Amino acid sequence: MYFVAIVIPPADVWIASSNKQGVSDIQQSFSAIFGQSNRIIIGSLVAFWVSQLIDVTVFHHIKKRTGDNIFG
């Protein structure tokens, strides 16, 4: 949805309003702000994937050392 929102051109009302406030290119500003969302989402997914791999690896090593009996 962010990608679609970035690609769609702004309405004339927003262009006029932003020109009054001194923003010359509202589309570039919009893309700069919301374009970061894709990188944040991808970074979050990669961090989750790496943490799950580390968690499974550590749990596997703990189970290998202690055996199937979790009570000692």
Side-chain angles (χ1 to χ4, degrees), residues 22-40:
V23 178
S24 60
D25 189 1
I26 192 170
Q27 189 66 23
Q28 183 181 3
S29 302
F30 190 83
S31 297
I33 293 169
F34 289 104
Q36 297 176 22
S37 301
N38 292 334
R39 288 181 262 162
I40 292 170

Side-chain angles (χ1 to χ4, degrees), residues 2-48:
Y2 288 114
F3 180 73
V4 172
I6 290 170
V7 175
I8 295 173
D12 293 336
V13 173
W14 291 107
I15 294 173
S17 174
S18 66
N19 285 336
K20 288 179 184 177
Q21 296 176 0
V23 178
S24 60
D25 189 1
I26 192 170
Q27 189 66 23
Q28 183 181 3
S29 302
F30 190 83
S31 297
I33 293 169
F34 289 104
Q36 297 176 22
S37 301
N38 292 334
R39 288 181 262 162
I40 292 170
I41 291 168
I42 291 170
S44 296
L45 290 173
V46 169
F48 176 76

